[in-house]
Amino acid sequence: MSGKPRLIYINGRGRMEPVRWLLAAAGVEFEEKFVETREQLEKLVKDGELLFQQLPMVEIDGVKMVQTRAILSYIAGKYNLYGKDLKERAWIDMYVEGITDLMQMVMMFPFSPAEAKAKNLASIEEKATKRYFPVFEKAFKTKMSNMPTIKKFLQPGSARKPPPDENYVATVVSIFDLN
Ligand code: GSN
């Protein structure tokens, strides 16, 4: 075993992308195993690897960790990226929960039925520009993008995943039961 965290997910952004970003920000190298079929997911479930029978899962420090927020909190805590006191941590949690609400909408958009796409897109655009983006103002984006570790992650050839395409949507639909 390499000792590097091992990320188990599909080969796309989804709920694992923030974990990739956070590890990149912390300057931590990681390995990835991509689930490509429903059978592979079922095997992980059958083998008892997934506490709630869901992905993402990250093997880290001997724990098979699930639940995106728990994974992120653990990594942030471990690498001193989770604030210097309880108040700073609460601010981090507020930003994280806010962007998670937006991400949830964006993440599910490619799976919305064709007839709902235009309406959903308009709603996402409205909320993104009026509610969420003003919080993450331009200065914040510039500061984040210029952190050396993030700068590296934004370069071609990093573990950053591309936006979802038809192939990604088809893969997700073939693996997971989407409600
Ligand atoms: O944040 C989390 O990790 C969990 N609260 C949700 C995890 C989740 O919904 N995972 C999906 C695939 S990733 N995309 O949403 C999943 O494993 N769905 C299959 C299922 O049976 O729920």
Side-chain angles (χ1 to χ4, degrees), residues 9 15 54-56 67-68 176:
Y9 197 63
R15 292 179 202 272
Q54 291 177 318
L55 297 173
Q67 290 295 353
T68 316
F176 300 113

Side-chain angles (χ1 to χ4, degrees), residues 34-47:
F34 299 124
V35 171
E36 282 160 344
T37 64
R38 186 182 279 262
E39 288 70 32
Q40 289 172 351
L41 176 66
E42 284 169 355
K43 178 159 185 353
L44 287 169
V45 171
K46 189 162 155 278
D47 292 347

